[in-house]
Amino acid sequence: MVDLSVNIGRLKLKNPVMTASGTFGPEYGELFDVNALGAVVLKTITLEARVGNPPPRIAETFSGMLNSIGLENKGLDDFIKNKLPKVKGIKAPIVVSIAGNNEREYALLAKRLSAVAKISALEINLSCPNVRHGTLAGLIAQDPDVTGRIVRAVRSSTRLPLIAKLTPNVTDISVIAASAEKAGADAVLLVNTFPAMAVDIETKKPKLGNITGGLSGPAIKPIALKMVWDVYNKVDIPIIGSGGIINYKDAIEFMLCGATAVQIGTAVFTDPRTPGCVIKDIRRYLEHAGYRRIKDIIGGLKA
Ligand SMILES: Cc1cc2nc3c(=O)[nH]c(=O)nc-3n(C[C@H](O)[C@H](O)[C@H](O)COP(=O)(O)O)c2cc1C
């Protein structure tokens, strides 16, 4: 039996496959064994409720999708009271994604969530393309200094493992990743969606109510992969790869390029069983290739 376990700092995963924030709900438990996952990442929450962007908020594209949800959520108090109890039965580690308008809000979210049982790690969303973060730049992770400030503020408010989620919309993502590492992140997650748009030629209107949105799915995979490779050569903390993973081959590519774990998002809209299949197929691939531990393939690209 191949050992599929990996470590993200102090966070121990029985296998490297996680769901991606905003794409997983506890209702999926009826379709596949959620407990088989390495970890479950919940949709990003904010301190106060947010209504999100005007509809339509989803559009299908060639090999991917656009979304402009805009971090719609009912806020921290509702999350603790109503959302968390719904996922408490899940045995896989639960990762909560947080976003704030400023350092104080990020730190407060981290502090309040640290006092709540069953949360195994926090994902710091520094990269949603569909919102403005109050006094902060729209995409926090475009600026290495602001990224460092936010991660440091969260770090000093919690002992939970921290995952910094970065945007691909930068010139050199490894500079931002290095800043997150220096500020105390236990891992970097790359990438969030790519700012993008689509147009309906009959109505001559944008397909999204917000005009622009974030592109995800297979269309972004080769670009995300290159970013993982770039960061792998620059930072020492674990990398979680995300962007267009639909099967075990994609996941293995990310791991060969240096990812310790992977997240699956858009693919679950096509088939919610995808994460479970990827776990099974990764095991089969490793057994066939004669590996005893998945850790042995991380960064194994022959370049
Ligand atoms: C409908 C939808 C909602 C999303 N919501 C969030 C979110 O709330 N927070 C976040 O950090 N990322 C969010 N994302 C981004 C995903 O977590 C993931 O990083 C991205 O889609 C790339 O992976 P994929 O190609 O496997 O989907 C969302 C993506 C989609 C498609």
Side-chain angles (χ1 to χ4, degrees):
M1 195 70 143
V2 186
D3 175 9
L4 292 187
S5 67
V6 293
N7 300 331
I8 305 289
R10 282 176 295 111
L11 178 65
K12 293 192 187 317
L13 308 182
K14 64 174 178 285
N15 66 65
V17 178
M18 312 164 79
T19 55
S21 178
T23 64
F24 169 86
E27 60 280 4
Y28 286 154
E30 290 163 24
L31 297 163
F32 72 97
D33 180 13
V34 177
N35 295 325
L37 290 166
V40 166
V41 184
L42 303 182
K43 182 168 174 50
T44 303
I45 58 161
T46 50
L47 206 51
E48 309 294 342
R50 293 183 68 107
V51 289
N53 288 321
R57 306 199 293 192
I58 297 277
E60 203 173 334
T61 67
F62 191 69
S63 264
M65 71 185 272
L66 294 172
N67 91 83
S68 60
I69 312 289
L71 300 187
E72 178 189 350
N73 77 101
K74 291 187 174 154
L76 177 66
D77 290 336
D78 178 79
F79 172 80
I80 292 173
K81 193 163 161 243
N82 300 317
K83 290 269 157 54
L84 209 50
K86 289 200 182 122
V87 295
K88 268 194 171 150
I90 295 177
K91 291 193 193 76
I94 303 281
V95 179
V96 177
S97 168
I98 56 170
N101 285 314
N102 48 51
E103 282 153 82
R104 191 190 65 82
E105 286 191 11
Y106 273 98
L108 205 59
L109 280 156
K111 194 167 177 205
R112 293 265 318 270
L113 290 166
S114 305
V116 178
K118 186 57 194 154
I119 297 175
S120 298
L122 295 180
E123 198 173 278
I124 316 172
N125 184 349
L126 305 165
S127 49
C128 182
N130 302 316
V131 296
R132 296 214 169 282
H133 289 270
T135 51
L136 299 166
L139 288 166
I140 297 165
Q142 281 180 331
D143 183 325
D145 296 331
V146 185
T147 298
R149 255 174 40 209
I150 303 288
V151 173
R152 215 165 283 120
V154 177
R155 179 71 293 161
S156 59
S157 312
T158 182
R159 292 168 58 85
L160 287 170
L162 296 180
I163 301 165
K165 185 166 181 178
L166 307 185
T167 175
N169 206 32
V170 290
T171 43
D172 184 356
I173 197 165
S174 66
V175 174
I176 316 286
S179 179
E181 176 180 40
K182 195 162 162 232
D186 295 283
V188 281
L189 161 54
L190 38 135
V191 291
N192 207 320
T193 53
F194 288 70
M197 63 190 288
V199 173
D200 181 329
I201 61 164
E202 301 304 330
T203 61
K204 302 189 180 69
K205 287 185 173 174
K207 286 191 177 169
L208 295 174
N210 192 47
I211 303 178
T212 64
L215 179 65
S216 60
I220 70 171
K221 194 195 86 183
I223 322 174
L225 204 56
K226 193 251 181 200
M227 291 185 168
V228 167
W229 173 244
D230 286 347
V231 171
Y232 182 65
N233 289 301
K234 282 275 173 57
V235 306
D236 293 323
I237 51 176
I239 299 165
I240 302 170
S242 160
I245 296 171
I246 61 166
N247 57 35
Y248 80 97
K249 293 182 191 169
D250 298 326
I252 297 288
E253 277 190 68
F254 271 93
M255 296 191 75
L256 287 172
C257 286
T260 295
V262 293
Q263 291 191 355
I264 300 178
T266 299
V268 301
F269 291 103
T270 317
D271 185 350
R273 292 165 304 179
T274 305
C277 296
V278 171
I279 296 167
K280 281 194 203 114
D281 291 345
I282 286 178
R283 184 185 298 285
R284 217 169 287 149
Y285 164 85
L286 293 171
E287 275 167 3
H288 185 72
Y291 284 99
R292 291 176 58 195
R293 309 182 323 160
I294 194 166
K295 286 175 187 150
D296 295 338
I297 70 156
I298 298 169
L301 188 73
K302 293 180 180 167

